[in-house]
Amino acid sequence: RFAAPHSKLVLRARSRVSVTAPQWPVPSDTPAWEEVAAAASCVPDLGPESPVHHVFASRHVPHLAAATRYAAVSFPRGRPVLAGLLELTARLHADFAYDPEATEVSTPIATVLETGRGVCQDFAHLMIAGLRGLGLPAAYVSGYLRTNPPPGRERLAGADASHAWARAW
């Protein structure tokens, strides 16, 4: 407790941080996607990390049969979930063209599927719609990519960019 007003407060902290590379799971060792979908539907928790928040349609990610059919190609019966996710990601990258002029924030997923063009948020929404259609919880994640300028150069204002990802449970 402070009994009298203060005009200055100085806090000093020192930390040591150890960083280790993550141990990624072997895709073929992950459970079958149907098991993951079934497990997600049985979670009784409604907390912020619960998969129940990421299985239903939303404003930007409606249930769309065409998106489910597109995703289903990567998830044949019994396929390990991570193997399916990696294949779906690779297919999206191969099948769709990055085109910042093709869409706006309100462009429907059906349009992205029809035209094969869009930006990261469109591809994330498409992946999420396909996964949710299969019963696999998936969410939209956005962030900011901070780049390193070339050696000897200053960081340029506006050179970095926002980005969107899909997160699967």
Side-chain angles (χ1 to χ4, degrees), residues 24-28 30 74-75 79-93 127 131 168:
W24 300 110
V26 176
S28 60
T30 59
S74 296
F75 293 91
R79 181 134 202 220
V81 69
L82 184 53
L85 290 167
L86 292 172
E87 180 184 298
L88 177 57
T89 301
R91 286 180 48 235
L92 284 164
H93 181 72
M127 184 172 189
L131 293 173

Short mmCIF file of all heavy atoms in Angstrom, two decimals, residues 24-28 30 74-75 79-93 127 131 168:
data_model
loop_
_atom_site.label_atom_id
_atom_site.label_comp_id
_atom_site.label_asym_id
_atom_site.label_seq_id
_atom_site.Cartn_x
_atom_site.Cartn_y
_atom_site.Cartn_z
N TRP A 24 6.13 -31.52 -33.96
CA TRP A 24 4.92 -31.68 -34.75
C TRP A 24 4.52 -33.15 -34.79
O TRP A 24 5.37 -34.02 -34.90
CB TRP A 24 5.13 -31.16 -36.16
CG TRP A 24 5.50 -29.71 -36.18
CD1 TRP A 24 6.72 -29.19 -36.51
CD2 TRP A 24 4.68 -28.61 -35.83
NE1 TRP A 24 6.69 -27.83 -36.39
CE2 TRP A 24 5.46 -27.44 -35.97
CE3 TRP A 24 3.36 -28.49 -35.39
CZ2 TRP A 24 4.96 -26.18 -35.71
CZ3 TRP A 24 2.87 -27.21 -35.13
CH2 TRP A 24 3.67 -26.08 -35.29
N PRO A 25 3.24 -33.43 -34.74
CA PRO A 25 2.80 -34.82 -34.84
C PRO A 25 3.05 -35.37 -36.25
O PRO A 25 3.05 -34.63 -37.23
CB PRO A 25 1.30 -34.76 -34.55
CG PRO A 25 0.90 -33.35 -34.76
CD PRO A 25 2.12 -32.49 -34.57
N VAL A 26 3.26 -36.65 -36.32
CA VAL A 26 3.38 -37.33 -37.61
C VAL A 26 1.96 -37.45 -38.16
O VAL A 26 1.08 -38.00 -37.49
CB VAL A 26 4.03 -38.71 -37.44
CG1 VAL A 26 4.07 -39.46 -38.76
CG2 VAL A 26 5.42 -38.57 -36.84
N PRO A 27 1.68 -36.90 -39.36
CA PRO A 27 0.31 -36.90 -39.88
C PRO A 27 -0.36 -38.27 -39.85
O PRO A 27 -1.53 -38.39 -39.48
CB PRO A 27 0.47 -36.38 -41.31
CG PRO A 27 1.68 -35.51 -41.25
CD PRO A 27 2.60 -36.20 -40.27
N SER A 28 0.38 -39.33 -40.20
CA SER A 28 -0.22 -40.67 -40.24
C SER A 28 -0.51 -41.23 -38.86
O SER A 28 -1.24 -42.21 -38.74
CB SER A 28 0.67 -41.62 -41.03
OG SER A 28 1.94 -41.72 -40.40
N THR A 30 -2.01 -39.45 -36.45
CA THR A 30 -3.14 -38.75 -35.84
C THR A 30 -4.42 -39.59 -36.01
O THR A 30 -4.49 -40.45 -36.89
CB THR A 30 -3.31 -37.35 -36.44
OG1 THR A 30 -3.53 -37.44 -37.86
CG2 THR A 30 -2.07 -36.48 -36.17
N SER A 74 -10.37 -34.76 -49.59
CA SER A 74 -9.17 -34.95 -48.77
C SER A 74 -9.42 -35.82 -47.54
O SER A 74 -8.47 -36.11 -46.80
CB SER A 74 -8.63 -33.59 -48.33
OG SER A 74 -8.22 -32.84 -49.44
N PHE A 75 -10.66 -36.20 -47.32
CA PHE A 75 -11.00 -36.95 -46.11
C PHE A 75 -11.76 -38.23 -46.42
O PHE A 75 -12.91 -38.40 -46.00
CB PHE A 75 -11.80 -36.06 -45.15
CG PHE A 75 -11.01 -34.93 -44.59
CD1 PHE A 75 -10.97 -33.70 -45.23
CD2 PHE A 75 -10.28 -35.09 -43.43
CE1 PHE A 75 -10.22 -32.65 -44.73
CE2 PHE A 75 -9.52 -34.06 -42.92
CZ PHE A 75 -9.49 -32.83 -43.57
N ARG A 79 -9.14 -41.76 -42.92
CA ARG A 79 -7.90 -40.97 -43.13
C ARG A 79 -7.50 -40.24 -41.86
O ARG A 79 -8.34 -39.63 -41.19
CB ARG A 79 -8.13 -39.94 -44.23
CG ARG A 79 -6.88 -39.11 -44.51
CD ARG A 79 -6.69 -39.03 -45.95
NE ARG A 79 -5.33 -38.74 -46.30
CZ ARG A 79 -5.03 -37.91 -47.28
NH1 ARG A 79 -5.99 -37.31 -47.95
NH2 ARG A 79 -3.78 -37.71 -47.59
N PRO A 80 -6.22 -40.28 -41.48
CA PRO A 80 -5.76 -39.52 -40.33
C PRO A 80 -6.05 -38.03 -40.53
O PRO A 80 -5.82 -37.48 -41.62
CB PRO A 80 -4.26 -39.80 -40.28
CG PRO A 80 -4.10 -41.13 -40.96
CD PRO A 80 -5.15 -41.10 -42.05
N VAL A 81 -6.57 -37.40 -39.50
CA VAL A 81 -7.05 -36.02 -39.63
C VAL A 81 -5.96 -35.06 -40.10
O VAL A 81 -6.22 -34.21 -40.96
CB VAL A 81 -7.73 -35.55 -38.32
CG1 VAL A 81 -6.72 -35.39 -37.18
CG2 VAL A 81 -8.50 -34.26 -38.55
N LEU A 82 -4.76 -35.16 -39.55
CA LEU A 82 -3.71 -34.22 -39.97
C LEU A 82 -3.30 -34.45 -41.42
O LEU A 82 -3.05 -33.50 -42.16
CB LEU A 82 -2.50 -34.29 -39.04
CG LEU A 82 -1.39 -33.27 -39.33
CD1 LEU A 82 -1.92 -31.84 -39.40
CD2 LEU A 82 -0.29 -33.39 -38.29
N ALA A 83 -3.29 -35.69 -41.87
CA ALA A 83 -2.99 -35.98 -43.27
C ALA A 83 -4.04 -35.33 -44.18
O ALA A 83 -3.71 -34.74 -45.21
CB ALA A 83 -2.92 -37.49 -43.51
N GLY A 84 -5.30 -35.42 -43.78
CA GLY A 84 -6.38 -34.79 -44.55
C GLY A 84 -6.26 -33.28 -44.56
O GLY A 84 -6.45 -32.64 -45.60
N LEU A 85 -5.93 -32.70 -43.41
CA LEU A 85 -5.79 -31.25 -43.33
C LEU A 85 -4.65 -30.74 -44.22
O LEU A 85 -4.80 -29.74 -44.92
CB LEU A 85 -5.55 -30.81 -41.88
CG LEU A 85 -6.74 -30.96 -40.94
CD1 LEU A 85 -6.29 -30.81 -39.49
CD2 LEU A 85 -7.83 -29.96 -41.29
N LEU A 86 -3.54 -31.45 -44.19
CA LEU A 86 -2.41 -31.05 -45.02
C LEU A 86 -2.73 -31.16 -46.50
O LEU A 86 -2.37 -30.29 -47.30
CB LEU A 86 -1.17 -31.87 -44.66
CG LEU A 86 -0.59 -31.59 -43.26
CD1 LEU A 86 0.51 -32.59 -42.93
CD2 LEU A 86 -0.09 -30.16 -43.15
N GLU A 87 -3.42 -32.23 -46.88
CA GLU A 87 -3.79 -32.38 -48.29
C GLU A 87 -4.77 -31.29 -48.71
O GLU A 87 -4.65 -30.71 -49.80
CB GLU A 87 -4.40 -33.75 -48.57
CG GLU A 87 -4.77 -33.88 -50.06
CD GLU A 87 -5.46 -35.18 -50.37
OE1 GLU A 87 -4.83 -36.24 -50.18
OE2 GLU A 87 -6.62 -35.12 -50.82
N LEU A 88 -5.75 -31.01 -47.86
CA LEU A 88 -6.73 -29.97 -48.19
C LEU A 88 -6.03 -28.62 -48.36
O LEU A 88 -6.31 -27.88 -49.31
CB LEU A 88 -7.81 -29.89 -47.12
CG LEU A 88 -8.87 -28.80 -47.30
CD1 LEU A 88 -9.59 -28.93 -48.64
CD2 LEU A 88 -9.86 -28.83 -46.14
N THR A 89 -5.09 -28.32 -47.50
CA THR A 89 -4.34 -27.07 -47.61
C THR A 89 -3.58 -27.02 -48.94
O THR A 89 -3.59 -26.00 -49.64
CB THR A 89 -3.36 -26.94 -46.43
OG1 THR A 89 -4.11 -26.96 -45.22
CG2 THR A 89 -2.58 -25.65 -46.50
N ALA A 90 -2.93 -28.12 -49.29
CA ALA A 90 -2.17 -28.17 -50.55
C ALA A 90 -3.11 -28.03 -51.75
O ALA A 90 -2.77 -27.36 -52.74
CB ALA A 90 -1.39 -29.48 -50.63
N ARG A 91 -4.27 -28.64 -51.69
CA ARG A 91 -5.23 -28.54 -52.79
C ARG A 91 -5.73 -27.10 -52.95
O ARG A 91 -5.85 -26.60 -54.08
CB ARG A 91 -6.41 -29.48 -52.58
CG ARG A 91 -6.04 -30.94 -52.83
CD ARG A 91 -7.20 -31.90 -52.62
NE ARG A 91 -8.41 -31.46 -53.28
CZ ARG A 91 -9.59 -31.30 -52.65
NH1 ARG A 91 -9.72 -31.57 -51.37
NH2 ARG A 91 -10.65 -30.89 -53.32
N LEU A 92 -6.03 -26.45 -51.83
CA LEU A 92 -6.46 -25.05 -51.90
C LEU A 92 -5.38 -24.20 -52.57
O LEU A 92 -5.67 -23.36 -53.42
CB LEU A 92 -6.78 -24.51 -50.51
CG LEU A 92 -8.10 -24.97 -49.91
CD1 LEU A 92 -8.13 -24.71 -48.41
CD2 LEU A 92 -9.26 -24.26 -50.59
N HIS A 93 -4.15 -24.45 -52.18
CA HIS A 93 -3.03 -23.68 -52.76
C HIS A 93 -2.90 -23.94 -54.26
O HIS A 93 -2.65 -23.01 -55.04
CB HIS A 93 -1.73 -24.05 -52.04
CG HIS A 93 -0.54 -23.30 -52.53
ND1 HIS A 93 -0.34 -21.96 -52.27
CD2 HIS A 93 0.50 -23.69 -53.29
CE1 HIS A 93 0.77 -21.56 -52.84
NE2 HIS A 93 1.30 -22.59 -53.47
N MET A 127 -11.95 -23.19 -46.45
CA MET A 127 -11.47 -24.37 -45.72
C MET A 127 -12.33 -24.62 -44.48
O MET A 127 -12.73 -25.75 -44.21
CB MET A 127 -10.01 -24.19 -45.33
CG MET A 127 -9.42 -25.41 -44.65
SD MET A 127 -7.63 -25.19 -44.45
CE MET A 127 -7.17 -26.82 -43.89
N LEU A 131 -14.53 -27.98 -43.70
CA LEU A 131 -14.28 -28.78 -42.49
C LEU A 131 -15.52 -28.86 -41.62
O LEU A 131 -15.88 -29.93 -41.13
CB LEU A 131 -13.10 -28.20 -41.71
CG LEU A 131 -11.74 -28.30 -42.41
CD1 LEU A 131 -10.68 -27.54 -41.62
CD2 LEU A 131 -11.34 -29.75 -42.62
N ALA A 168 -7.90 -25.81 -37.09
CA ALA A 168 -8.76 -26.99 -36.91
C ALA A 168 -8.55 -27.58 -35.53
O ALA A 168 -7.44 -27.56 -34.99
CB ALA A 168 -8.44 -28.03 -37.98
#
